[in-house]
Amino acid sequence: MAEQNDIISRNIEHYHEAKRKCLTGCAVEIGCLKHMYSDGTSVELCGVQLSIEKKERVVISGKNGSGKSTLIHHMIGLLVPVEGDIKVMGVSTKSKRFKEVRNEIGIVFQDAEQQLIAPTVFDDIAFTPLNLGWGKEKTVRRVNRVMEDLGITHLKDRVPHYLSGGEKKKVALAGALAASPKLLLLDEIFSNIDEQSKDRIIQYLIKLNKEEGITIVLTTHQPEISKIFATREIRL
């Protein structure tokens, strides 16, 4: 209990600290939230009361069942809290205006396969920018660049369904980045990823964060990730 109270206190301190820095705008603002599932199970994250500044690299860590994925799903607006509120780019996820904000968010779910929908890897990565109205030439340039950066160009004509777990994660990440999001949400992206690929992805994400100013929030139960990637860690 004492350790949990310490974590809550640290997170509240982070909230006030980030709030001061977010005068020019926060990427994410989280109030004390409670989620209720259809079976009556509830998840309360009232210690997680914080702001995530634009261009931060934040790791949300914790054991399985601690609420990491639930929090990510609230940030993208897939779940709506019964108590509390979450704002992304200054807009509440409960607002009708949030549909516009979602176009500026990239996400990789814990089960990446559920978001791979196109007949080929190239088509899957190109889906979001084309759906947002990008021209074909601009989309092709961006898709080719992201595939090259992630080392998956050789997969471009493959059927996503038949890829390995790690390859699916990379394709999903490429798809999440294809439309140049302002906020990138990654839920346990390093599960089923070999060490060499993990190192390459971490360095690539840090590079994107610095060069393109993308705010990155990722969940993990691997403590070493925070040490080499995060500018801040939130423990649930």
Side-chain angles (χ1 to χ4, degrees):
M1 179 63 73
E3 181 182 358
Q4 182 65 24
N5 287 337
D6 286 342
I7 292 172
I8 291 173
S9 296
R10 285 197 299 271
N11 285 334
I12 291 175
E13 288 172 7
H14 285 319
Y15 171 77
H16 292 298
E17 177 186 356
K19 196 70 174 174
R20 287 193 295 270
K21 293 189 291 185
C22 282
L23 295 177
T24 57
C26 292
V28 181
E29 297 173 84
I30 304 171
C32 177
L33 70 87
K34 177 180 179 181
H35 178 77
M36 184 77 70
Y37 289 97
S38 57
D39 63 357
T41 304
S42 65
V43 176
E44 297 188 44
L45 297 170
C46 281
V48 185
Q49 201 167 14
L50 55 91
S51 297
I52 296 174
E53 189 181 6
K54 290 180 180 179
K55 301 183 182 181
E56 275 199 289
R57 300 192 305 271
V58 174
V59 168
I60 301 173
S61 62
K63 298 178 181 178
N64 291 335
S66 61
K68 300 187 302 296
S69 294
T70 297
L71 192 55
I72 289 291
H73 289 176
H74 276 279
M75 289 183 191
I76 194 68
L78 291 177
L79 297 178
V80 178
V82 294
E83 295 178 14
D85 193 22
I86 294 183
K87 291 182 180 180
V88 179
M89 310 297 179
V91 178
S92 171
T93 58
K94 300 175 183 178
S95 169
K96 292 181 180 179
R97 291 175 50 220
F98 188 67
K99 290 182 179 180
E100 301 173 10
V101 176
R102 286 184 72 167
N103 292 334
E104 299 179 339
I105 304 173
I107 186 168
V108 176
F109 294 104
Q110 188 168 359
D111 180 8
E113 186 170 8
Q114 67 179 295
Q115 65 191 98
L116 303 179
I117 58 175
T120 70
V121 165
F122 185 94
D123 290 337
D124 202 280
I125 299 170
F127 177 82
T128 297
L130 289 175
N131 194 48
L132 292 176
W134 285 32
K136 183 177 180 181
E137 184 177 339
K138 179 181 178 182
T139 298
V140 169
R141 284 200 308 270
R142 177 66 177 182
V143 172
N144 284 336
R145 176 186 168 188
V146 173
M147 286 194 301
E148 182 179 354
D149 289 342
L150 288 170
I152 58 172
T153 302
H154 64 290
L155 301 176
K156 66 178 182 178
D157 296 320
R158 296 275 301 277
V159 179
H161 178 70
Y162 296 114
L163 300 177
S164 68
E167 289 171 337
K168 289 175 182 176
K169 285 286 181 74
K170 293 176 187 177
V171 172
L173 176 58
L177 289 168
S180 301
K182 294 181 179 178
L183 173 64
L184 182 64
L185 306 175
L186 307 173
D187 193 5
E188 293 286 0
I189 191 172
F190 296 114
S191 60
N192 300 319
I193 294 282
D194 62 85
E195 288 299 317
Q196 184 176 0
S197 294
K198 182 194 297 184
D199 291 341
R200 179 171 186 166
I201 290 172
I202 288 174
Q203 295 307 315
Y204 178 50
L205 291 175
I206 292 174
K207 179 173 178 284
L208 283 176
N209 168 257
K210 292 181 177 179
E211 294 183 357
E212 298 187 13
I214 300 174
T215 305
I216 304 175
V217 180
L218 68 83
T219 69
T220 184
H221 61 275
Q222 303 176 40
E224 69 275 10
I225 299 298
S226 295
K227 296 177 182 178
I228 57 179
F229 174 78
T231 55
R232 182 153 60 98
E233 179 182 9
I234 300 166
R235 295 174 60 194
L236 300 184

